[in-house]
Amino acid sequence: MTIAQTRGGGAAATRRAITNTLKGSAGNLIEWYDLYVYAAFSAYFATYFFNAKDPVQAQIDAYLTFALTFLMRPVGSWFFGRYADRRGRRAALTLSVSLMGVGSLLVAVLPGLAQIGVWSTVLLYLSRLLQGFSVGGEYGTAATYMSEVATAKRRGFFSSFQYVTLVGGQVLALLTLVILQNVLSDADLKGWGWRIPFLIGAVASLIVLWLRRTMDETISKEQVAAAKGGEFEAIQPGTLKLLFTKHWKPFVIVVFLTMGGTCAFYLYTTYILSFMNNVSHIPKTQTSVINFWALFVYMILHPLFGLLSDKIGRKAQLIVFGVLGAIFTWPIMSTLAGVKDPFIAFLLMLAALMIVINYTSISAIVKAELFPASVRALGVGLGYAIANSLFGGTVPFIGEWLSSAGHKEWLFTYVTVTILVSLVVYVFFLPNKQKETHLDEDLTPVDPVGAPADDDGRSGARIR
């Protein structure tokens, strides 16, 4: 049975979609766990790798390193997007999680500034650049894969697991933080306990590597043949030439529709932890619990919002995010700045996330529907990575810098403006709910690489 046959509907199609979605999203979970573990534990190891005499500057340097990982995302998205469109989604996803495991293991065993001097900081940079490279490839390829294996009438639902596992990675990182904060002393966490979550990430990547070897492939034999030349030599899928000559308009749309969503996402899921600690002055042990439960609720609601998009359309949901995000970003964050009560802080964070979920729950499928199979992984991944590198990934660093300079409110304005720009894209440049997208066109018929052809001998999706 081919992917094209199972995407049509029925019990067999649903079972196959569930199996492939779980395999595809497992690596996404671990990739993003590794990313967020760095942010969550940075307060404990910042002085180990950076300026031990100035904890505030060390924290800023740690966040700068976090931001630097986003510089590698476009490179990773280009490499893995091209690889996935030419060699297969499975091969690209397997390679990306392998590289992530290497980067995580490196941090876990790395000596500090006191042991090897500046080389400690340099090697930390290298490990995070490798992580940025791998996660850059993970997002676009995983988003593409989960959109392609979903059943036709439930694409919003199945592809929402892209952010279920993305947020799940952060929830898992926070759970690890909460457990270690309750098991180890603050001194032990700063001394050696922060290494544990990175070791967990390295081991988990091996498990995911084994799972992903049994995933179904979704690109056709024709597409692989086109990438190798021969009969299809003129069609070169997965290339920047194809993307920028034939599909540059959806690529630009992806960059700007992502801008506001990624800034809001990193504001409310990553930087907010430091904001509660340093601005609201809520103790670290309490902010970890607040973040964990708010993100847990946010995570489990994604499939419901994905299912909603299958009913009302993706555009309407994005507009809801854009309008509410532009109106409430400033009030929520300015109120949070003066809150001392952990429960009120939890409610404010959850309210913000209930706005952002209208973007994150359908982010993957909206982008995947804009591109044909021949350039989908590259278009989705590279567009998303550029927006993240320029906007979302810099939010924690910009926020920490502005807060230390006494201008924390400027960050609220910055995020609000990016949301307004994206709202313009949602309203004027996204198509209305339509009966057929590129994903529907790709159903004519697809023969997964390595699977038997259909009974009539045809194989593969059309290459556009």
Side-chain angles (χ1 to χ4, degrees):
M1 184 179 292
T2 69
I3 294 294
Q5 291 169 320
T6 60
R7 279 186 285 179
T14 301
R15 286 194 298 270
R16 192 143 184 174
I18 291 172
T19 299
N20 283 311
T21 298
L22 290 175
K23 291 176 181 178
S25 61
N28 201 47
L29 174 72
I30 301 305
E31 288 268 13
W32 293 91
Y33 162 82
D34 181 67
L35 177 71
Y36 289 124
V37 152
Y38 179 91
F41 282 84
S42 62
Y44 293 101
F45 62 72
T47 55
Y48 188 77
F49 293 107
F50 302 103
N51 192 344
K53 297 180 180 179
D54 188 350
V56 174
Q57 184 59 47
Q59 185 64 58
I60 292 175
D61 290 340
Y63 274 132
L64 177 59
T65 306
F66 181 80
L68 287 176
T69 66
F70 287 77
L71 294 178
M72 288 300 293
R73 287 203 187 183
V75 181
S77 295
W78 164 76
F79 176 84
F80 284 101
R82 176 184 171 88
Y83 194 75
D85 287 331
R86 297 169 68 84
R87 297 287 299 274
R89 320 304 191 203
R90 180 176 59 203
L93 289 170
T94 300
L95 179 59
S96 70
V97 79
S98 301
L99 293 178
M100 170 259 143
V102 172
S104 192
L105 181 62
L106 180 58
V107 178
V109 301
L110 196 59
L113 201 63
Q115 287 76 42
I116 59 174
V118 70
W119 282 107
S120 176
T121 305
V122 171
L123 290 173
L124 180 67
Y125 284 155
L126 289 175
S127 74
R128 295 299 87 192
L129 290 175
L130 180 60
Q131 200 278 339
F133 179 75
S134 67
V135 82
E138 179 72 23
Y139 179 90
T141 309
T144 296
Y145 184 76
M146 283 188 264
S147 299
E148 290 173 341
V149 299
T151 55
K153 294 183 179 180
R154 292 290 181 268
R155 289 200 185 105
F157 172 77
F158 280 108
S159 63
S160 70
F161 284 89
Q162 167 84 354
Y163 263 88
V164 169
T165 50
L166 191 155
V167 178
Q170 187 164 6
V171 170
L172 189 58
L174 283 169
L175 179 60
T176 305
L177 176 61
V178 170
I179 292 173
L180 290 179
Q181 283 176 335
N182 284 275
V183 172
L184 301 177
S185 66
D186 194 67
D188 284 340
L189 271 172
K190 288 183 177 179
W192 55 270
W194 58 265
R195 297 182 185 275
I196 295 174
F198 292 101
L199 284 172
I200 292 173
V203 173
S205 67
L206 293 176
I207 298 173
V208 173
L209 182 62
W210 175 76
L211 284 173
R212 282 189 162 174
R213 291 173 64 86
T214 61
M215 293 164 54
D216 285 329
E217 183 53 76
T218 58
I219 72 167
S220 67
K221 290 181 178 179
E222 284 185 350
Q223 188 160 321
V224 174
K228 294 179 179 178
E231 181 183 352
F232 301 95
E233 189 172 359
I235 305 175
Q236 287 289 309
T239 60
L240 291 176
K241 181 179 179 181
L242 177 61
L243 178 64
F244 291 131
T245 57
K246 302 276 188 184
H247 307 287
W248 65 269
K249 289 183 179 179
F251 174 78
V252 173
I253 289 173
V254 165
V255 172
F256 286 101
L257 77 83
T258 303
M259 176 198 288
T262 190
C263 283
F265 178 76
Y266 281 100
L267 173 66
Y268 293 128
T269 65
T270 304
Y271 175 64
I272 200 168
L273 188 64
S274 176
F275 188 85
M276 289 182 184
N277 289 336
N278 301 327
V279 178
S280 303
H281 299 294
I282 299 173
K284 290 179 182 178
T285 52
Q286 293 182 353
T287 57
S288 299
V289 175
I290 292 168
N291 276 246
F292 172 79
W293 286 111
L295 288 173
F296 181 78
V297 174
Y298 173 60
M299 176 185 69
I300 63 176
L301 289 178
H302 268 77
L304 294 180
F305 280 80
L307 193 61
L308 178 64
S309 77
D310 289 324
K311 301 294 184 182
I312 69 172
R314 329 289 185 208
K315 182 172 182 173
Q317 249 174 271
L318 288 175
I319 292 174
V320 169
F321 157 69
V323 172
L324 295 181
I327 293 173
F328 289 106
T329 295
W330 185 285
I332 288 174
M333 292 302 295
S334 59
T335 302
L336 181 61
V339 164
K340 305 296 181 186
D341 188 325
F343 183 68
I344 300 299
F346 164 77
L347 292 178
L348 286 169
M349 181 178 176
L350 186 60
L353 292 174
M354 289 302 98
I355 295 173
V356 180
I357 198 171
N358 288 284
Y359 162 79
T360 54
S361 61
I362 58 174
S363 173
I365 187 64
V366 168
K367 296 163 190 171
E369 288 178 332
L370 294 174
F371 296 97
S374 57
V375 76
R376 184 172 295 132
L378 179 61
V380 171
L382 186 59
Y384 168 83
I386 288 175
N388 268 256
S389 298
L390 295 176
F391 306 107
T394 58
V395 164
F397 171 69
I398 292 173
E400 197 73 23
W401 179 69
L402 288 175
S403 180
S404 66
H407 302 296
K408 61 181 180 294
E409 296 85 359
W410 292 7
L411 179 67
F412 316 158
T413 302
Y414 168 71
V415 174
T416 299
V417 170
T418 63
I419 293 174
L420 284 171
V421 172
S422 289
L423 179 58
V424 172
V425 175
Y426 305 153
V427 174
F428 297 106
F429 295 97
L430 277 185
N432 293 313
K433 186 177 181 182
Q434 51 189 349
K435 293 182 179 179
E436 186 173 277
T437 67
H438 281 294
L439 284 169
D440 296 300
E441 295 171 1
D442 292 340
L443 291 175
T444 58
V446 178
D447 177 28
V449 177
D454 293 338
D455 292 337
D456 61 2
R458 294 177 296 173
S459 65
R462 292 167 289 174
I463 308 297
R464 298 175 195 81

